Amino acid sequence: MKLVVASDHGGFSLKQAIIEHLQANGHEVIDAGTDSEESVDYAVYAKKAASMVASGACERGIVVCGTGIGISISANKVHGIRCALCTNEFMTKMARRHNDANMLAMGARILAVPYALTLVDLFLEEPFEGGRHQRRIDQIAEIERGD
Ligand code: RB5
C-alpha cells in the first residue's frame, strides 16, 4: 500500500519506528516530516499528510504527535479525511470497520512503540464493513459539503 506518515516533534521517534516497520513489511512510504525533535507545529504536518490522502496520492495516512489530539483535529479539517485517534485495538478495528478511517492518529506520549505498531497493522488490515456504515460516512461528506 502507498502510505504517508507525518508527525510533529513530539511524535518524531514513533514516526521513524512506524516508517521502518511499514517499509520492512513491503509498503511504499512517503515521509512528510518532521525531520527531528526540534519544536514544530503539528497542523503543518497534518495538512501535508492529509492533503496527500485527500488527493489520492496516497491510499492512507498515519499521523503522530504527543497525544495524537492536535494532529488528528488538524487532519480532519481537510475535506475527505476521516482521521481516527486511536489508543487501543478495539478503537482501531472500529475505525476501519465502521468509520472507514483513511488516516490513523496516535499519541507518542500515550502508546509504547510495539503497541503502536500493532495498531498500525490493524489499521492496514481491517476492512470497512459498508452497509449502514456507508450511509453514515455519506452523511459526514454531506456535512463537509454544507448540505
Ligand atoms: C507538543 O508539545 C504537543 O502539544 C503536541 O505534540 C500534541 O500533543 C498536541 O496535540
Side-chain angles (χ1 to χ4, degrees):
M1 203 180 286
K2 187 170 177 185
L3 303 160
V4 57
V5 184
S7 75
D8 73 355
H9 55 287
F12 175 71
S13 61
L14 177 55
K15 173 176 72 74
Q16 299 307 104
I18 291 169
I19 291 171
E20 196 176 307
H21 177 73
L22 291 172
Q23 288 174 336
N25 286 296
H27 295 285
E28 187 181 347
V29 184
I30 293 179
D31 181 351
T34 186
D35 300 324
S36 75
E37 291 185 341
E38 187 180 330
S39 184
V40 293
D41 299 327
Y42 53 74
V44 172
Y45 297 92
K47 186 179 177 189
K48 281 187 188 178
S51 300
M52 297 195 80
V53 176
S55 71
C58 291
E59 201 171 330
R60 296 210 200 138
I62 299 169
V63 284
V64 187
C65 67
T67 58
I69 296 171
I71 209 156
S72 60
I73 292 172
S74 306
N76 278 313
K77 297 298 179 189
V78 175
H79 278 204
I81 294 304
R82 294 178 300 281
C83 180
L85 171 56
C86 297
T87 60
N88 63 43
E89 291 163 76
F90 180 71
M91 290 175 79
T92 309
K93 276 186 197 172
M94 290 303 106
R96 287 292 311 136
R97 288 183 169 272
H98 288 190
N99 309 111
D100 196 19
N102 50 14
M103 294 188 73
L104 170 67
M106 294 182 293
R109 296 173 184 155
I110 308 293
L111 302 174
V113 171
Y115 192 70
L117 298 180
T118 302
L119 302 191
V120 165
D121 290 342
L122 275 176
F123 173 66
L124 299 179
E125 288 159 12
E126 289 289 324
F128 176 50
E129 288 177 6
R132 68 186 186 283
H133 303 296
Q134 184 59 55
R135 182 178 69 245
R136 294 160 185 166
I137 300 304
D138 293 343
Q139 289 166 350
I140 295 172
E142 283 174 23
I143 296 170
E144 277 184 340
R145 290 195 301 269
D147 294 350

